Amino acid sequence: MFHYDRDILIHSIGLWLDAGRKRDFSFVSHAHSDHTNRHDRVLATPATLALAEARAAFRLASGARKRPVREVDTLPLDFNSPLKIDGAIVTLFPAGHVLGSAQILIERDGRRLLYSGDFCPQKTSAAEDIEIPHADTLIMECTYGLPEHAFPARDTVIAQLCDFARKTLARGMTPVFLCYALGKGQEVMKILAEAGFAVAAEGETYELARVYERFGIDFGRFRRLDSPVSPDEVVVTPSTEKIEMFLGGRRFRTASVTGWGAGAFSYRARRANVRIPLSDHADFAGLVEYVKAVSPSEVYITHGPDEFAYYVKKEGFKVGSLAEKRPV
Ligand SMILES: [Zn+2]
């Protein structure tokens, strides 16, 4: 049903999946894949398209991007809305990774192929809850595909995050959460909003949160960090360099919020006073559970350690090699 030629191609309908190279027609699973403007035609959820557009606009306005992105033919597709393309039926399911992130199911001639994109099986605060369909063939990411990757329970992490904010404010300092501008930033903003904190967000994080708002996520009291922080505010930003001018002389403490903070990969976490292991991916156990839930007859893995194939086989599943799916 598919070929692998440095990217994955569903050849019967000419659709590439998260293609890294410029292609005629590609599915884009979520707005982290900074490839939306590269292809001639893009299939994605409305939220992914809106987030990608907001990121591009912010980067152009801030000077990070020199030229405006070229016009792209977009094909927005809502979750759970089957679309017929050349005799196949394509359906998107929420992946729970960031707002709008999608798995894609392609059905043709009675066969079902599922491509996971980045996914998070744990319930999050700001992204849609994952829905896992059954498929015959599964192509999945396995970023944390080694047993040592075990994330703590989400409630524990949320308590740790709020505790850090509360204690830092009580000491007369500004809590600064360091997280990616898309996804993790809004996740942390939502957690802080639910705990009643006032949030000042760095420019790109703020602009993307505005897109989340358009899709129904409420962040409570928050503002763009474009003037000095007040003593009761919590800052969310990708880096301290971007916001130093607004801290004035205030003392601050940083918390790096990343899945890499958990287990063996903590050295990857950025320099920070504390690390909070909040992930928007599946940990090892979550990946294995995902395979079981999809219950496929064959699995292909990508974006992660090759060793994960061993563990999938151990669970009784057949694992194929992408390298052997080259077009003949
Ligand atoms: Zn991602």
Side-chain angles (χ1 to χ4, degrees):
M1 198 169 182
F2 75 95
H3 285 159
Y4 181 74
D5 185 8
R6 294 184 294 177
D7 291 316
I8 298 157
L9 170 68
I10 308 297
H11 49 79
S12 59
I13 57 173
L15 178 68
W16 296 86
L17 305 181
D18 274 338
R21 289 156 193 83
K22 182 182 181 303
R23 306 292 185 180
D24 296 341
F25 184 27
S26 182
F27 164 63
V28 173
S29 66
H30 66 293
H32 279 156
S33 342
D34 211 8
H35 303 142
T36 37
N37 56 318
R38 205 177 282 181
H39 313 298
D40 292 334
R41 194 159 177 243
V42 165
L43 170 73
T45 61
T48 293
L49 294 171
L51 287 166
E53 196 187 313
R55 281 183 95 180
F58 178 84
R59 288 177 180 190
L60 185 67
S62 66
R65 175 187 274 280
K66 295 286 170 272
R67 261 172 278 134
V69 295
R70 64 191 185 88
E71 284 292 313
V72 174
D73 187 7
T74 56
L75 181 54
L77 184 61
D78 286 316
F79 292 123
N80 294 298
S81 308
L83 174 74
K84 231 178 169 170
I85 304 176
D86 296 337
I89 298 168
V90 168
T91 315
L92 304 184
F93 293 89
H97 171 63
V98 300
L99 186 80
S101 63
Q103 310 157 82
I104 184 169
L105 180 73
I106 299 142
E107 297 170 80
R108 193 187 170 95
D109 302 331
R111 297 280 301 168
R112 293 159 66 92
L113 178 145
L114 180 70
Y115 167 74
S116 72
D118 285 357
F119 67 95
C120 180
Q122 284 207 58
K123 200 176 166 59
T124 61
S125 300
E128 303 88 354
D129 291 349
I130 193 170
E131 288 173 37
I132 307 175
H134 161 69
D136 305 297
T137 299
L138 169 64
I139 307 172
M140 67 180 291
E141 67 107 342
C142 59
T143 308
Y144 292 102
L146 294 174
E148 68 246 41
H149 294 141
F151 302 148
R154 192 177 160 78
D155 287 353
T156 312
V157 179
I158 289 176
Q160 192 186 345
L161 199 151
C162 293
D163 201 49
F164 173 80
R166 207 170 291 120
K167 285 188 175 147
T168 306
L169 287 172
R171 289 168 66 184
M173 295 191 273
T174 297
V176 175
F177 289 97
L178 303 174
C179 19
Y180 292 123
L182 170 60
K184 202 64 71 67
Q186 290 72 33
E187 194 64 24
V188 170
M189 286 174 70
K190 180 70 180 160
I191 291 167
L192 291 168
E194 282 174 356
F197 292 100
V199 172
E202 164 277 336
E204 188 174 10
T205 311
Y206 171 87
E207 290 299 339
L208 296 171
R210 296 295 300 271
V211 177
Y212 272 63
E213 278 192 315
R214 271 164 44 203
F215 286 86
I217 309 296
D218 177 14
F219 293 103
R221 278 194 300 158
F222 80 107
R223 70 171 180 103
R224 186 189 193 118
L225 182 54
D226 53 5
S227 60
V229 286
S230 50
D232 68 330
E233 279 181 324
V234 177
V235 170
V236 178
T237 178
S239 72
T240 46
E241 294 84 64
K242 294 193 176 203
I243 52 114
E244 230 146 12
M245 64 191 115
F246 304 122
L247 289 167
R250 281 187 68 80
R251 291 196 301 148
F252 62 94
R253 275 174 65 76
T254 53
S256 169
V257 185
T258 167
W260 294 113
F265 284 85
S266 55
Y267 66 88
R268 289 213 187 202
R270 284 162 280 189
R271 286 171 68 109
N273 295 114
V274 301
R275 291 172 196 144
I276 296 176
L278 183 75
S279 180
D280 48 17
H281 282 268
D283 65 2
F284 177 77
L287 290 169
V288 172
E289 284 307 310
Y290 179 80
V291 180
K292 289 182 184 169
V294 176
S295 183
S297 49
E298 53 174 0
V299 182
Y300 295 85
I301 61 171
T302 167
H303 293 100
D306 291 341
E307 291 89 331
F308 184 63
Y310 162 80
Y311 297 101
V312 175
K313 282 181 200 158
K314 222 169 102 179
E315 294 292 335
F317 295 94
K318 186 180 152 211
V319 180
S321 155
L322 284 178
E324 285 165 18
K325 298 295 283 183
R326 293 195 192 287
V328 279

